[in-house]
Amino acid sequence: MKDEALAKTNRINLLFDFYEPLLTDKQRTFLSHYFHDDYSLGEIAENYGVSRQAVYEHIKRAELSLGDYEAKLGLLTKHERRQQLLRQLEELLNQSNCEEKQGLQVQAGILLHEIERID
């Protein structure tokens, strides 16, 4: 349960990094306080003179919006794929010895081409 909550928080934070400018001011502010600063709904509500329910609704709408943006634009998915390919490339280059260099250069070229094609 705790792992799921942490995974959700991490995903929301990553999506927020990519799509923050597309959210409303209140969604941005409340999401930032809730997920980045670890404020409770009550603390946010008190600071902004609104109800806990209003804060909750803004956060839920923001989460849905982030999910919709990702479904349509896929920026996080592309970023994660790029990172995965770069890690594979780094591993290949770190494993190489003189005899393997030529084959690894071909594999590295293929991975670099895949990275370029992501967008």
Side-chain angles (χ1 to χ4, degrees):
M1 185 78 158
K2 203 173 194 178
D3 290 339
E4 289 175 25
L6 183 58
K8 177 186 175 185
T9 297
N10 287 338
R11 180 156 177 81
I12 294 295
N13 283 327
L14 288 169
L15 290 171
F16 186 77
D17 289 343
F18 282 100
Y19 302 113
E20 176 184 0
L22 301 176
L23 298 173
T24 67
D25 288 339
K26 279 189 179 178
Q27 287 175 335
R28 242 190 330 267
T29 300
F30 292 172
L31 250 178
S32 179
H33 285 317
Y34 190 72
F35 286 104
H36 290 161
D37 304 329
D38 202 28
Y39 284 20
S40 70
L41 295 176
E43 289 170 322
I44 298 168
E46 185 178 320
N47 288 341
Y48 290 92
V50 297
S51 68
R52 290 177 79 243
Q53 184 64 31
V55 173
Y56 175 81
E57 288 174 11
H58 279 289
I59 290 171
K60 283 300 163 197
R61 262 189 254 125
E63 288 178 22
L64 289 172
S65 293
L66 291 173
D68 288 345
Y69 296 142
E70 177 60 15
K72 291 174 184 165
L73 301 171
L75 298 179
L76 177 58
T77 301
K78 290 175 186 176
H79 170 76
E80 289 171 338
R81 180 67 179 140
R82 258 189 233 99
Q83 294 303 310
Q84 178 187 32
L85 291 169
L86 287 170
R87 279 191 300 277
Q88 288 175 3
L89 182 58
E90 187 176 3
E91 286 174 18
L92 277 174
L93 295 174
N94 287 337
Q95 296 173 7
S96 63
N97 60 38
C98 292
E99 297 160 7
E100 298 173 322
K101 285 277 189 210
Q102 192 171 14
L104 288 176
Q105 287 174 341
V106 171
Q107 288 178 323
I110 291 168
L111 287 173
L112 285 172
H113 181 70
E114 280 189 55
I115 291 168
E116 291 169 354
R117 289 184 37 217
I118 288 174
D119 289 322

